[in-house]
Amino acid sequence: MRWLFRLIRNLLALVMIIILIVIVYKNVPAISELNPFDHSSDKNTESVAPQRANSTYTVEDNPLLQNVPLGQTKQAFKWISKSEFMDVSGLERMGYDDNYVAGQRGTEYILYKFGEPKMYVYQTEQDLLNDLQEMNSNIKLLPKTSY
């Protein structure tokens, strides 16, 4: 009878370890390349990168997205209020679609592709629009009152 209880206890411990490993693989961005459950990289391997951006900065520099795993930025953006997002990030105009968020802050234009570790900064709106057109995305920048 003791061997049956030990067997059940060991099986439960094994199941708990497997659940812990799955949770870690799904939620830790540092090992996202090793994640066997994430097939998002299989979908679009030939994406066009922005060519006209003058500079970039990493998502970790952004206080809104610093605690969000890269794979979850799209979901997090869907959940938050767009008007509050514009207030906190200082955007005067913003537009988005399923793959990108674009905005104007002062004289700079910012483009972010969901899931990437960096944002692209443009000096002119035309450069931003040209890159968006090359990436087959039609985003119109709208004022905060539209959200």
Side-chain angles (χ1 to χ4, degrees):
M1 197 65 158
R2 282 188 186 185
W3 65 270
L4 182 62
F5 288 123
R6 271 190 264 165
L7 178 66
I8 292 172
R9 185 183 64 194
N10 289 339
L11 286 176
L12 285 175
L14 181 64
V15 168
M16 294 301 285
I17 290 171
I18 290 172
I19 289 172
L20 181 65
I21 290 171
V22 168
I23 290 171
V24 167
Y25 271 125
K26 284 190 169 204
N27 295 318
V28 177
I31 58 174
S32 64
E33 295 173 1
L34 304 174
N35 188 345
F37 304 106
D38 183 21
H39 301 291
S40 62
S41 62
D42 298 340
K43 295 177 189 170
N44 191 6
T45 56
E46 293 183 25
S47 63
V48 178
Q51 302 296 318
R52 295 173 181 82
N54 290 341
S55 62
T56 62
Y57 70 92
T58 60
V59 175
E60 287 81 19
D61 295 341
N62 186 321
L64 293 171
L65 299 174
Q66 68 185 358
N67 294 325
V68 177
L70 290 177
Q72 299 297 320
T73 54
K74 188 177 193 177
Q75 277 304 99
F77 185 76
K78 286 181 182 179
W79 293 335
I80 61 176
S81 166
K82 306 309 181 261
S83 178
E84 289 178 18
F85 178 80
M86 291 179 73
D87 283 340
V88 172
S89 59
L91 296 176
E92 300 161 10
R93 296 188 306 151
M94 181 181 77
Y96 62 95
D97 64 8
D98 288 340
N99 298 317
Y100 301 99
V101 175
Q104 177 186 3
R105 181 172 42 197
T107 60
E108 294 180 329
Y109 296 88
I110 300 168
L111 176 67
Y112 174 66
K113 182 175 182 182
F114 293 117
E116 283 194 356
K118 58 185 172 181
M119 296 185 182
Y120 301 93
V121 181
Y122 298 86
Q123 294 301 317
T124 66
E125 184 174 3
Q126 190 59 45
D127 288 343
L128 171 67
L129 295 175
N130 289 341
D131 270 357
L132 284 170
Q133 185 177 16
E134 285 180 13
M135 294 182 282
N136 298 322
S137 185
N138 185 19
I139 296 177
K140 297 201 186 291
L141 298 179
L142 302 173
K144 186 174 128 177
T145 56
S146 300
Y147 300 103

